[in-house]
Amino acid sequence: MASTMKTVICAQPHQLVVSERPIPAAGPGDVLVRVKRIGVCGTDLHIFTGNQPYLSYPRVMGHELAGIAETAPAGARVKAGDAVYVMPYLSCGACIACRAGKTNCCTNIKVLGVHTDGGMAEYLAVPQEFVFNANGISLDQAAMIEFLAIGAHAVARADVAAGARVLVVGAGPIGMAALIFAKLRGAPVAMLDARADRLAVCAKSLGADLTVTLDTSGGNADAKELLDWTGGEAFDAVFDATGNPKAMERGLEFVAHGGKYVLISIVNARISFFDPDFHKRETTLLASRNATPADFETVLDAMRAGKIPTDVLNTHKLDLATLPETFPKLLEPDAGVIKALVVC
């Protein structure tokens, strides 16, 4: 094995640099992963553009990771040569959230590629408790588990039941993940977005029951279409996956009496709502952060059962060595990106 590896560093907003770094030394409790696939997330795009609030530069991005275990400690759940995926939320295991099994919102969490350097590199040493076997699926699929688990976690947070009417606002990858797992629970799902191309994917390939284009004219045609679909009763569960404060505030309008509103998005802003409407509906407001090991298992089981059209979701492949040239193109609206994977 060589002593150095290629690493892509986001030196500052809008600047990626390919660098040679030493291959990390695996500690006694670490798995050394030969990274083979890296999913590009909205978080990575925000880091690149300078819009991620929990980060300092320079940073090695990349938290949607799959690869091959190069070395593993004795007694680990994986062994050298296994295909693996990485759970990138490095939780402490001791805080109030971890003690309650909510490792996704650990008070001391370090997310790979955000709070600490991630996996846009040829090798990464990861504590063994965050590395899992990916048998039965491809490396491409393994690199998509994390973003799908975020959608699965949001749907679990709302405890979506069969027949419950669901609205997902924002048809990006996370919104599509919420659609997939709400449908797997037997819920009819409507999607609202400004992009016709993404809505078409939701309708044609992901099972959306209704797709509605955002009304940008200043009218309210989109709201009328959505509410008409529910007979005027609105939705049992609404998920926001836009990352837009105005959309997050507006989404409350679509929650039925007794319904739930789940904010998957995070924005560096305050959001507000009209309390009388919130109160009279006895709305349940939920945040949904990251995912738990159980959510990852939910995704893995669905993948192994062939219930997730990952070939539809993976629209682009990039090479690690040429990432500084190709990565900015992912930001172009006409690129048609749903999920891009970096190949090492």
Side-chain angles (χ1 to χ4, degrees):
M1 190 169 69
S3 60
T4 64
M5 63 179 184
K6 285 187 178 63
T7 305
V8 175
I9 302 164
C10 189
Q12 60 186 15
H14 300 283
Q15 184 182 2
L16 297 182
V17 178
V18 178
S19 176
E20 287 287 327
R21 283 188 172 184
I23 292 173
D30 292 344
V31 175
L32 181 63
V33 178
R34 171 70 168 94
V35 180
K36 303 297 287 184
R37 300 289 189 277
I38 308 149
V40 177
C41 174
T43 297
D44 301 314
L45 299 175
H46 292 153
I47 292 169
F48 180 72
T49 56
N51 294 313
Q52 219 293 335
Y54 303 130
L55 174 133
S56 59
Y57 298 89
R59 177 64 70 222
V60 178
M61 302 184 296
H63 61 274
E64 299 179 3
L65 306 172
I68 305 297
E70 190 81 13
T71 64
R77 67 167 66 89
V78 301
K79 63 182 184 303
D82 283 349
V84 299
Y85 68 88
V86 174
M87 189 171 182
Y89 324 123
L90 307 187
S91 51
C92 72
C95 72
I96 184 171
C98 289
R99 295 197 307 272
K102 299 180 179 181
T103 55
N104 58 301
C105 56
C106 167
T107 62
N108 304 302
I109 201 165
K110 294 187 185 305
V111 179
L112 293 173
V114 180
H115 305 103
T116 188
D117 280 348
M120 281 193 180
E122 292 178 306
Y123 291 88
L124 184 68
V126 185
Q128 62 178 312
E129 58 266 38
F130 302 104
V131 183
F132 297 82
N133 200 293
N135 286 348
I137 61 172
S138 70
L139 287 170
D140 285 357
Q141 290 176 312
M144 288 189 271
I145 293 176
E146 191 271 345
F147 90 87
L148 289 163
I150 290 174
H153 182 72
V155 169
R157 287 279 285 153
D159 194 20
V160 171
R165 289 177 296 216
V166 169
L167 171 64
V168 179
V169 185
I174 300 299
M176 289 181 181
L179 161 62
I180 288 167
F181 286 95
K183 290 295 297 181
L184 287 175
R185 284 179 173 234
V189 181
M191 301 294 294
L192 175 64
D193 198 275
R195 288 182 54 172
D197 59 334
R198 287 188 168 176
L199 290 175
V201 172
C202 292
K204 181 179 179 181
S205 303
L206 304 181
D209 298 278
L210 175 70
T211 57
V212 177
T213 303
L214 183 71
D215 183 355
T216 58
S217 69
N220 215 26
D222 51 359
K224 184 178 186 307
E225 187 174 356
L226 288 166
L227 292 174
D228 284 351
W229 190 66
T230 67
E233 291 185 329
F235 293 86
D236 302 294
V238 177
F239 297 86
D240 180 88
T242 65
N244 181 295
K246 289 184 178 179
M248 294 165 77
E249 291 176 348
R250 187 189 186 215
L252 273 167
E253 299 174 15
F254 302 118
V255 182
H257 282 244
K260 299 172 183 176
Y261 189 35
V262 184
L263 299 179
I264 315 176
S265 299
I266 180 170
V267 291
N268 191 17
R270 291 183 179 273
I271 58 172
S272 62
F273 53 84
F274 185 59
D275 185 61
D277 284 347
F278 181 81
H279 189 84
K280 74 181 181 183
R281 299 173 190 170
E282 200 177 50
T283 306
T284 299
L285 178 63
L286 296 164
S288 184
R289 185 184 185 192
N290 300 328
T292 66
D295 301 313
F296 277 67
E297 283 295 325
T298 295
V299 176
L300 190 59
D301 289 345
M303 282 184 173
R304 286 173 173 159
K307 295 179 179 179
I308 301 178
T310 49
D311 288 347
V312 173
L313 299 172
N314 175 208
T315 55
H316 292 67
K317 289 271 181 70
L318 309 175
D319 183 81
L320 184 72
T322 59
L323 213 53
E325 294 79 42
T326 58
F327 191 90
K329 297 177 183 177
L330 299 177
L331 294 164
E332 298 171 2
D334 59 359
V337 179
I338 296 176
K339 178 56 58 176
L341 296 180
V342 179
V343 178
C344 298

